[in-house]
Amino acid sequence: MRKRKVDIAVISDVHLGTFGCQANELLSYLNSINAKTLILNGDIIDIWQFRKRYFPKSHLQVIKKIIDLSTKGTEVIYITGNHDEMLRKFTDVKMGNISIVNKVVMDLDGKKAWFFHGDVFDASIQHTKWIAKLGGWGYDLLILINQMINWGLVRMGREKYSLSKKIKNSVKKAVKYVGDFEKVAADLAIANGYKYVVCGHIHQPQLVRKVNKNGTCLYLNSGDWIENLTALEYSNKKWKLYHYSEDKLSPFFSDDELKDMNYKDLLAAITITGKL
C-alpha cells in the first residue's frame, strides 16, 4: 500500500492503557501515512488510569510506531494533556526528533497556528465538566458496555451505536460546554492573531470557521481514538478532518511485532513514568 504524504498529522485523546482505546485502528492509520510532523495533542497515554495489569501489546505497538517514525525522520511533538499531565515535568525536553511541550505555535504558509490540548479551559468555563463525569473508570465502563452492545448489533446486521455520544449530545450542559469551549478557544486565538487554533480534550472532532467582531480563525479539534477515530491533516496549505470510518484501510501492520523492543522493559518504563 502506498502511504499518503502529509505535512502535519495531529492525533489526540488516544488513552493508551484503557479498555476503550482503539490501538489497532490507530496503528493502521499511522502505517498508512508519511508525515513530516506528527503532533500528539495530549492524553496519548492515560496515566490517570494506568494499571500495569492492562497495557496490551497493541498499545505498546503504538508507542513503538511513534518512536520508529521519529527515527526515520518524522518530527514528533508531544503536547501534554490532563490525563498525561505527569509528563509536564519533562516540558521542553527533546530526545532526537521527539520533543515534549505544553503548547506550540507554528508558522504554516504565512499563517500562525496555535496547538494545545485544551484542558486549561476547564477552570475558566463554569459549567459541569461532562468529561470528568463521563471520564475515568465510569467512561471506560460505558465504552466496554457499548462494545458488547455493538458486538450484538453487528451480529444482527445492524449499525453500531454510541451510548456516550447519545448521552453527550442529549445533555444540555454537555452541549453548552462544547460550545463554550470552542468559543473561548477561537476568541483567544483571534485576539492573539492566530489563524488556526488546534485542540483536543473534548472528544469532539471539528473543523469550522469562527468569526467575532475582532476577526476570524479556523477552529480545529482532532477528536479522539476511542469513539470517533479521527485525526487532523495539513497538506497543500489546507486542513482536513480525517475519519477512520470513512477510509478503506485494510489491515496495514507492516511492523506489527515488537521485534527490537522488550515488552516488559517498555511496560516497566511506562510504570515508572506514571509514578514520577
Side-chain angles (χ1 to χ4, degrees), residues 30 33 38 52 57 88 91-92 121 146 153 197-198 201 217 271 274:
L30 291 176
I33 62 172
L38 174 63
K52 189 174 181 179
K57 184 172 287 189
R88 287 174 179 164
T91 297
D92 297 327
F121 292 152
N146 205 163
L153 290 173
V197 56
V198 187
H201 188 52
C217 77
T271 305

Side-chain angles (χ1 to χ4, degrees), residues 23-163:
N24 286 325
E25 288 79 359
L26 178 55
L27 277 169
S28 285
Y29 171 67
L30 291 176
N31 277 313
S32 72
I33 62 172
N34 183 0
K36 292 181 181 178
T37 301
L38 174 63
I39 296 180
L40 311 174
N41 202 359
D43 289 359
I44 304 303
I45 301 174
D46 198 320
I47 297 175
W48 276 9
Q49 299 185 65
F50 180 79
R51 296 294 184 274
K52 189 174 181 179
R53 63 178 175 271
Y54 186 78
F55 208 93
K57 184 172 287 189
S58 61
H59 293 210
L60 286 171
Q61 287 174 302
V62 170
I63 297 174
K64 178 183 181 294
K65 179 61 184 178
I66 292 169
I67 294 173
D68 285 349
L69 288 172
S70 72
T71 62
K72 293 175 181 177
T74 297
E75 180 186 12
V76 177
I77 302 174
Y78 195 129
I79 300 174
T80 53
N82 52 312
H83 282 256
D84 47 21
E85 62 185 351
M86 291 182 181
L87 293 177
R88 287 174 179 164
K89 298 177 182 179
F90 305 102
T91 297
D92 297 327
V93 167
K94 187 174 178 64
M95 300 167 287
N97 280 333
I98 301 176
S99 57
I100 300 175
V101 297
N102 291 332
K103 60 184 178 181
V104 67
V105 174
M106 301 176 68
D107 184 284
L108 301 181
D109 300 302
K111 297 179 180 180
K112 287 200 296 182
W114 180 28
F115 300 81
F116 63 102
H117 182 62
D119 57 296
V120 66
F121 292 152
D122 281 348
S124 61
I125 299 175
Q126 302 301 317
H127 301 290
T128 302
K129 299 174 186 176
W130 56 266
I131 288 181
K133 296 292 184 181
L134 289 178
W137 292 108
Y139 183 68
D140 222 20
L141 179 61
L142 184 64
I143 294 296
L144 271 177
I145 294 171
N146 205 163
Q147 287 175 348
M148 290 186 285
I149 291 173
N150 283 334
W151 179 85
L153 290 173
V154 171
R155 297 268 295 185
M156 294 186 290
R158 298 174 62 182
E159 292 185 0
K160 291 183 179 180
Y161 183 81
S162 175
L163 285 172

Side-chain angles (χ1 to χ4, degrees), residues 74 124-125 147 149 211 213 225 238 244 247 256 269:
T74 297
S124 61
I125 299 175
Q147 287 175 348
I149 291 173
V211 180
K213 63 181 181 180
W225 283 86
K238 292 182 179 180
Y244 181 86
D247 206 342
D256 61 346

Side-chain angles (χ1 to χ4, degrees), residues 195-215:
K195 295 303 181 183
Y196 307 121
V197 56
V198 187
C199 306
H201 188 52
I202 59 174
H203 295 207
Q204 294 286 306
Q206 185 65 277
L207 192 161
V208 63
R209 173 68 55 185
K210 296 287 187 178
V211 180
N212 65 20
K213 63 181 181 180
N214 298 313

